[in-house]
Amino acid sequence: MKNAKKFWKIGKREHNTQYFDITKDGDLVVFEGNYQYNIRELAEKYGTPLKVMLPYIIEQRVEDLMDLFEDCLREYKYDGQFYYHYPMKVNQNREFVLPIISEGANLETTSANELWVVKRLWHQHRFNSRIKVICNGPKTEQYLALIAELKSNGLDIVPIIEDLSEMEALQKFRGQVGVRVDLGVQVDSYWDKKIERFGLSIDEVYALGKIKNLTTLHYHMGSEIERQADILRGLKKAMEVYVKLKKENPSLDTIDMGGGFPGNFHTKPLYSITGVVHRIIQFLGTYSREHGVQPPNIICEWGRYVVSPAQFTIFSILNDKLIPKASAKKWYVIDGSFQTHLLDTWAVRRQWHVVPVNNMHARKLTRTWLAGLSCDSDDKYTAGGSYIMLPRLEDLEAGEKQYIAVLDTGDYQDGFTNHHCLNAAPAKVVCQNGDVTLINKRETAEEVGKLFGW
Ligand SMILES: Cc1ncc(COP(=O)(O)O)c(C=O)c1O
């Protein structure tokens, strides 16, 4: 193939593949600055399925995002602060969370158990006292107790009132609180907005009147917001609420936009992060001026955008099988599963970026659908009824395996993993400072069996 990089969308910032390249021999490689890792060699050494994670990519993305906001604040002389809060639900693994914190990010939790991780880090004196933690999600008694405990231990923690039933408990809280509003703004996103279950309606928020220690107005419009205009429409609605709420609550000084910037799920990038951040800051500055309020501090909780490209998952093709009549010619059966390892295939009908790991210069390709390892007819990926181009297995040399990489698996997939058909969790390596470390061995039958009482 003449232009393999273009064909496989490798080395392109708009596809989050600026960290990848293809060798002369047709192997996929990933960069960590000037270090380089050959993915075929990793697959051969550690076996498949294999997750490969690079903290460097996370560090770069958090830094770029924070710099972008900071540069815009300066450019528009915005008189407020920006805080990035990493939503831990997107990936709670240590190898993800630690590099994010090292770049100066704050955290957002959604459950008592996520906050327990924060408690551990706080008790181990890993944080400095500048870190701020936002607590979203339904508040169980355990969650509320932990919030109170960490506050009394000196952590800067802001619980968000998600529901009227949380009002009573959180109004006794001796610190800043936020309130989550359901803006009622319909946006195209992977989020069932027909009946919103989170947050208070705008009228409910107004009816609360004075909320003790209110500093933060929070909303979250959805994941994978497809149009930039929708991000701004939501922000405008939120500012209308903010201005009104501030009259009775002068302590209100922060708007938390939640998550939603799209990942690499679409054949084409939807809009640019630079453009949208400029518009956010410009809008907030102008709107605040026109309505006579101090520009709010800004919190953003974009999760997928930051961590998705920091991990990819490698499979090998076990065999192929003809498909008589379809857009694809062959099933390629992989040694992993879409049902157990890549749940977003279902959850958000995700379009994965699938590339070969070896033979990337192959001239002859075949149209495939990918079949997973589970004995379940739903364990498949058909690229939404289209097909995935991959090298032909008949062209492999004797004993050679064809490996594939599913890119951008750093967000959500680890937390979603299950054991359908008692499939084992893949091994995981971390590539850092030129070294490769096996941090999770592939689960054995004994380990999986134990989870089910055997
Ligand atoms: C409150 C809140 N914040 C942040 C996020 C992260 O969203 P994303 O990963 O789409 O940016 C979510 C995701 O559902 C959320 O519910």
mmCIF file of all heavy atoms in Angstrom, residues 258-287:
data_model
loop_
_atom_site.group_PDB
_atom_site.id
_atom_site.type_symbol
_atom_site.label_atom_id
_atom_site.label_comp_id
_atom_site.label_asym_id
_atom_site.label_seq_id
_atom_site.Cartn_x
_atom_site.Cartn_y
_atom_site.Cartn_z
ATOM 1 N N GLY A 258 -19.669 20.123 33.378
ATOM 2 C CA GLY A 258 -19.734 18.663 33.240
ATOM 3 C C GLY A 258 -18.855 18.158 32.113
ATOM 4 O O GLY A 258 -17.911 18.824 31.684
ATOM 5 N N GLY A 259 -19.185 16.964 31.623
ATOM 6 C CA GLY A 259 -18.373 16.345 30.560
ATOM 7 C C GLY A 259 -19.035 16.515 29.207
ATOM 8 O O GLY A 259 -19.935 17.328 29.054
ATOM 9 N N GLY A 260 -18.559 15.735 28.243
ATOM 10 C CA GLY A 260 -19.284 15.685 26.970
ATOM 11 C C GLY A 260 -18.507 15.967 25.704
ATOM 12 O O GLY A 260 -19.040 15.774 24.617
ATOM 13 N N PHE A 261 -17.241 16.438 25.818
ATOM 14 C CA PHE A 261 -16.520 16.676 24.562
ATOM 15 C C PHE A 261 -16.283 15.322 23.895
ATOM 16 O O PHE A 261 -15.849 14.367 24.529
ATOM 17 C CB PHE A 261 -15.175 17.387 24.794
ATOM 18 C CG PHE A 261 -14.567 17.862 23.492
ATOM 19 C CD1 PHE A 261 -14.897 19.097 22.979
ATOM 20 C CD2 PHE A 261 -13.721 17.034 22.771
ATOM 21 C CE1 PHE A 261 -14.380 19.524 21.755
ATOM 22 C CE2 PHE A 261 -13.196 17.450 21.541
ATOM 23 C CZ PHE A 261 -13.526 18.702 21.046
ATOM 24 N N PRO A 262 -16.582 15.227 22.579
ATOM 25 C CA PRO A 262 -16.549 13.905 21.938
ATOM 26 C C PRO A 262 -15.166 13.284 21.823
ATOM 27 O O PRO A 262 -14.165 13.972 21.684
ATOM 28 C CB PRO A 262 -17.129 14.172 20.544
ATOM 29 C CG PRO A 262 -17.131 15.637 20.360
ATOM 30 C CD PRO A 262 -17.016 16.298 21.677
ATOM 31 N N GLY A 263 -15.156 11.968 21.886
ATOM 32 C CA GLY A 263 -13.918 11.221 21.645
ATOM 33 C C GLY A 263 -13.809 10.910 20.163
ATOM 34 O O GLY A 263 -14.541 11.462 19.329
ATOM 35 N N ASN A 264 -12.908 9.984 19.853
ATOM 36 C CA ASN A 264 -12.665 9.647 18.446
ATOM 37 C C ASN A 264 -13.615 8.520 18.030
ATOM 38 O O ASN A 264 -13.197 7.427 17.733
ATOM 39 C CB ASN A 264 -11.198 9.205 18.325
ATOM 40 C CG ASN A 264 -10.811 8.900 16.910
ATOM 41 O OD1 ASN A 264 -11.377 9.446 15.969
ATOM 42 N ND2 ASN A 264 -9.860 7.997 16.737
ATOM 43 N N PHE A 265 -14.921 8.813 17.985
ATOM 44 C CA PHE A 265 -15.906 7.748 17.743
ATOM 45 C C PHE A 265 -16.501 7.831 16.358
ATOM 46 O O PHE A 265 -17.382 7.090 16.013
ATOM 47 C CB PHE A 265 -17.110 7.931 18.666
ATOM 48 C CG PHE A 265 -16.855 7.676 20.086
ATOM 49 C CD1 PHE A 265 -15.599 7.642 20.603
ATOM 50 C CD2 PHE A 265 -17.925 7.450 20.923
ATOM 51 C CE1 PHE A 265 -15.398 7.419 21.935
ATOM 52 C CE2 PHE A 265 -17.731 7.224 22.248
ATOM 53 C CZ PHE A 265 -16.474 7.214 22.759
ATOM 54 N N HIS A 266 -16.099 8.817 15.628
ATOM 55 C CA HIS A 266 -16.818 9.103 14.397
ATOM 56 C C HIS A 266 -15.827 9.038 13.248
ATOM 57 O O HIS A 266 -14.632 9.208 13.449
ATOM 58 C CB HIS A 266 -17.457 10.504 14.480
ATOM 59 C CG HIS A 266 -18.277 10.671 15.733
ATOM 60 N ND1 HIS A 266 -19.617 10.445 15.769
ATOM 61 C CD2 HIS A 266 -17.908 10.974 17.008
ATOM 62 C CE1 HIS A 266 -20.050 10.614 17.014
ATOM 63 N NE2 HIS A 266 -19.040 10.947 17.784
ATOM 64 N N THR A 267 -16.324 8.828 12.038
ATOM 65 C CA THR A 267 -15.391 8.711 10.915
ATOM 66 C C THR A 267 -14.643 10.028 10.701
ATOM 67 O O THR A 267 -13.508 10.038 10.273
ATOM 68 C CB THR A 267 -16.131 8.278 9.641
ATOM 69 O OG1 THR A 267 -17.402 8.900 9.653
ATOM 70 C CG2 THR A 267 -16.297 6.769 9.592
ATOM 71 N N LYS A 268 -15.321 11.139 11.016
ATOM 72 C CA LYS A 268 -14.656 12.446 10.921
ATOM 73 C C LYS A 268 -14.739 13.142 12.277
ATOM 74 O O LYS A 268 -15.746 12.992 12.967
ATOM 75 C CB LYS A 268 -15.422 13.341 9.929
ATOM 76 C CG LYS A 268 -15.096 13.088 8.507
ATOM 77 C CD LYS A 268 -15.689 14.235 7.693
ATOM 78 C CE LYS A 268 -15.874 13.785 6.280
ATOM 79 N NZ LYS A 268 -17.097 14.280 5.668
ATOM 80 N N PRO A 269 -13.705 13.956 12.625
ATOM 81 C CA PRO A 269 -13.836 14.721 13.877
ATOM 82 C C PRO A 269 -15.027 15.671 13.777
ATOM 83 O O PRO A 269 -15.317 16.189 12.693
ATOM 84 C CB PRO A 269 -12.525 15.505 13.951
ATOM 85 C CG PRO A 269 -11.674 15.025 12.840
ATOM 86 C CD PRO A 269 -12.479 14.206 11.906
ATOM 87 N N LEU A 270 -15.726 15.874 14.889
ATOM 88 C CA LEU A 270 -16.952 16.665 14.827
ATOM 89 C C LEU A 270 -16.677 18.165 14.872
ATOM 90 O O LEU A 270 -17.245 18.941 14.127
ATOM 91 C CB LEU A 270 -17.864 16.266 15.986
ATOM 92 C CG LEU A 270 -18.326 14.798 15.971
ATOM 93 C CD1 LEU A 270 -19.081 14.456 17.229
ATOM 94 C CD2 LEU A 270 -19.179 14.524 14.746
ATOM 95 N N TYR A 271 -15.805 18.583 15.796
ATOM 96 C CA TYR A 271 -15.417 19.996 15.887
ATOM 97 C C TYR A 271 -14.138 20.069 16.702
ATOM 98 O O TYR A 271 -13.765 19.092 17.365
ATOM 99 C CB TYR A 271 -16.520 20.875 16.503
ATOM 100 C CG TYR A 271 -17.187 20.309 17.722
ATOM 101 C CD1 TYR A 271 -16.724 20.603 19.001
ATOM 102 C CD2 TYR A 271 -18.290 19.472 17.615
ATOM 103 C CE1 TYR A 271 -17.328 20.081 20.131
ATOM 104 C CE2 TYR A 271 -18.909 18.935 18.748
ATOM 105 C CZ TYR A 271 -18.414 19.247 19.996
ATOM 106 O OH TYR A 271 -19.011 18.724 21.114
ATOM 107 N N SER A 272 -13.504 21.249 16.644
ATOM 108 C CA SER A 272 -12.176 21.294 17.279
ATOM 109 C C SER A 272 -12.278 21.800 18.714
ATOM 110 O O SER A 272 -13.108 22.655 19.049
ATOM 111 C CB SER A 272 -11.235 22.198 16.475
ATOM 112 O OG SER A 272 -11.290 23.499 16.970
ATOM 113 N N ILE A 273 -11.398 21.262 19.534
ATOM 114 C CA ILE A 273 -11.398 21.655 20.936
ATOM 115 C C ILE A 273 -10.983 23.119 21.087
ATOM 116 O O ILE A 273 -11.524 23.851 21.906
ATOM 117 C CB ILE A 273 -10.513 20.700 21.758
ATOM 118 C CG1 ILE A 273 -10.743 20.916 23.238
ATOM 119 C CG2 ILE A 273 -9.037 20.825 21.439
ATOM 120 C CD1 ILE A 273 -10.738 19.680 24.037
ATOM 121 N N THR A 274 -10.048 23.543 20.239
ATOM 122 C CA THR A 274 -9.579 24.931 20.335
ATOM 123 C C THR A 274 -10.728 25.891 20.070
ATOM 124 O O THR A 274 -10.966 26.844 20.820
ATOM 125 C CB THR A 274 -8.452 25.181 19.306
ATOM 126 O OG1 THR A 274 -7.530 24.114 19.416
ATOM 127 C CG2 THR A 274 -7.761 26.493 19.523
ATOM 128 N N GLY A 275 -11.477 25.601 19.003
ATOM 129 C CA GLY A 275 -12.587 26.488 18.634
ATOM 130 C C GLY A 275 -13.605 26.563 19.755
ATOM 131 O O GLY A 275 -14.066 27.650 20.126
ATOM 132 N N VAL A 276 -13.951 25.441 20.322
ATOM 133 C CA VAL A 276 -15.030 25.451 21.304
ATOM 134 C C VAL A 276 -14.581 26.137 22.606
ATOM 135 O O VAL A 276 -15.355 26.882 23.221
ATOM 136 C CB VAL A 276 -15.609 24.032 21.518
ATOM 137 C CG1 VAL A 276 -14.832 23.208 22.486
ATOM 138 C CG2 VAL A 276 -17.040 24.102 22.002
ATOM 139 N N VAL A 277 -13.324 25.951 22.992
ATOM 140 C CA VAL A 277 -12.862 26.598 24.227
ATOM 141 C C VAL A 277 -12.843 28.125 24.042
ATOM 142 O O VAL A 277 -13.274 28.876 24.925
ATOM 143 C CB VAL A 277 -11.487 26.046 24.674
ATOM 144 C CG1 VAL A 277 -10.916 26.852 25.827
ATOM 145 C CG2 VAL A 277 -11.611 24.574 25.087
ATOM 146 N N HIS A 278 -12.387 28.579 22.875
ATOM 147 C CA HIS A 278 -12.416 30.034 22.614
ATOM 148 C C HIS A 278 -13.844 30.566 22.745
ATOM 149 O O HIS A 278 -14.083 31.595 23.372
ATOM 150 C CB HIS A 278 -11.892 30.325 21.205
ATOM 151 C CG HIS A 278 -10.402 30.472 21.163
ATOM 152 N ND1 HIS A 278 -9.777 31.684 21.177
ATOM 153 C CD2 HIS A 278 -9.429 29.535 21.141
ATOM 154 C CE1 HIS A 278 -8.462 31.499 21.146
ATOM 155 N NE2 HIS A 278 -8.222 30.201 21.127
ATOM 156 N N ARG A 279 -14.781 29.834 22.150
ATOM 157 C CA ARG A 279 -16.163 30.323 22.171
ATOM 158 C C ARG A 279 -16.720 30.330 23.602
ATOM 159 O O ARG A 279 -17.455 31.234 23.984
ATOM 160 C CB ARG A 279 -17.032 29.477 21.249
ATOM 161 C CG ARG A 279 -16.777 29.864 19.801
ATOM 162 C CD ARG A 279 -17.673 29.128 18.825
ATOM 163 N NE ARG A 279 -17.313 29.527 17.487
ATOM 164 C CZ ARG A 279 -16.319 28.994 16.779
ATOM 165 N NH1 ARG A 279 -15.591 28.023 17.283
ATOM 166 N NH2 ARG A 279 -16.041 29.449 15.577
ATOM 167 N N ILE A 280 -16.370 29.321 24.368
ATOM 168 C CA ILE A 280 -16.866 29.253 25.765
ATOM 169 C C ILE A 280 -16.398 30.489 26.533
ATOM 170 O O ILE A 280 -17.196 31.185 27.175
ATOM 171 C CB ILE A 280 -16.355 27.958 26.455
ATOM 172 C CG1 ILE A 280 -17.092 26.741 25.908
ATOM 173 C CG2 ILE A 280 -16.493 28.035 27.972
ATOM 174 C CD1 ILE A 280 -16.511 25.392 26.343
ATOM 175 N N ILE A 281 -15.116 30.779 26.433
ATOM 176 C CA ILE A 281 -14.573 31.897 27.236
ATOM 177 C C ILE A 281 -15.126 33.232 26.727
ATOM 178 O O ILE A 281 -15.525 34.091 27.531
ATOM 179 C CB ILE A 281 -13.026 31.907 27.189
ATOM 180 C CG1 ILE A 281 -12.449 30.547 27.594
ATOM 181 C CG2 ILE A 281 -12.443 33.039 28.047
ATOM 182 C CD1 ILE A 281 -12.683 30.145 29.013
ATOM 183 N N GLN A 282 -15.167 33.354 25.402
ATOM 184 C CA GLN A 282 -15.697 34.603 24.837
ATOM 185 C C GLN A 282 -17.131 34.815 25.314
ATOM 186 O O GLN A 282 -17.506 35.884 25.769
ATOM 187 C CB GLN A 282 -15.740 34.479 23.314
ATOM 188 C CG GLN A 282 -14.654 35.254 22.617
ATOM 189 C CD GLN A 282 -14.752 35.018 21.121
ATOM 190 O OE1 GLN A 282 -15.013 33.916 20.666
ATOM 191 N NE2 GLN A 282 -14.522 36.069 20.358
ATOM 192 N N PHE A 283 -17.935 33.742 25.198
ATOM 193 C CA PHE A 283 -19.340 33.844 25.570
ATOM 194 C C PHE A 283 -19.495 34.217 27.045
ATOM 195 O O PHE A 283 -20.240 35.141 27.403
ATOM 196 C CB PHE A 283 -20.087 32.528 25.269
ATOM 197 C CG PHE A 283 -21.433 32.510 25.908
ATOM 198 C CD1 PHE A 283 -22.480 33.254 25.358
ATOM 199 C CD2 PHE A 283 -21.658 31.836 27.106
ATOM 200 C CE1 PHE A 283 -23.718 33.307 25.989
ATOM 201 C CE2 PHE A 283 -22.886 31.883 27.740
ATOM 202 C CZ PHE A 283 -23.927 32.617 27.182
ATOM 203 N N LEU A 284 -18.777 33.494 27.909
ATOM 204 C CA LEU A 284 -18.945 33.735 29.352
ATOM 205 C C LEU A 284 -18.546 35.166 29.716
ATOM 206 O O LEU A 284 -19.201 35.814 30.536
ATOM 207 C CB LEU A 284 -18.138 32.726 30.167
ATOM 208 C CG LEU A 284 -18.703 31.305 30.226
ATOM 209 C CD1 LEU A 284 -17.745 30.380 30.964
ATOM 210 C CD2 LEU A 284 -20.077 31.285 30.907
ATOM 211 N N GLY A 285 -17.480 35.650 29.083
ATOM 212 C CA GLY A 285 -17.011 37.019 29.351
ATOM 213 C C GLY A 285 -18.075 38.031 28.950
ATOM 214 O O GLY A 285 -18.470 38.905 29.733
ATOM 215 N N THR A 286 -18.565 37.875 27.719
ATOM 216 C CA THR A 286 -19.535 38.850 27.208
ATOM 217 C C THR A 286 -20.840 38.789 28.006
ATOM 218 O O THR A 286 -21.387 39.814 28.413
ATOM 219 C CB THR A 286 -19.838 38.531 25.713
ATOM 220 O OG1 THR A 286 -18.602 38.365 25.052
ATOM 221 C CG2 THR A 286 -20.647 39.615 25.047
ATOM 222 N N TYR A 287 -21.320 37.580 28.229
ATOM 223 C CA TYR A 287 -22.605 37.427 28.929
ATOM 224 C C TYR A 287 -22.525 38.023 30.340
ATOM 225 O O TYR A 287 -23.430 38.718 30.788
ATOM 226 C CB TYR A 287 -22.989 35.939 28.996
ATOM 227 C CG TYR A 287 -24.424 35.701 29.400
ATOM 228 C CD1 TYR A 287 -25.421 35.519 28.449
ATOM 229 C CD2 TYR A 287 -24.792 35.665 30.751
ATOM 230 C CE1 TYR A 287 -26.742 35.297 28.828
ATOM 231 C CE2 TYR A 287 -26.103 35.450 31.136
ATOM 232 C CZ TYR A 287 -27.080 35.260 30.165
ATOM 233 O OH TYR A 287 -28.391 35.055 30.543
#
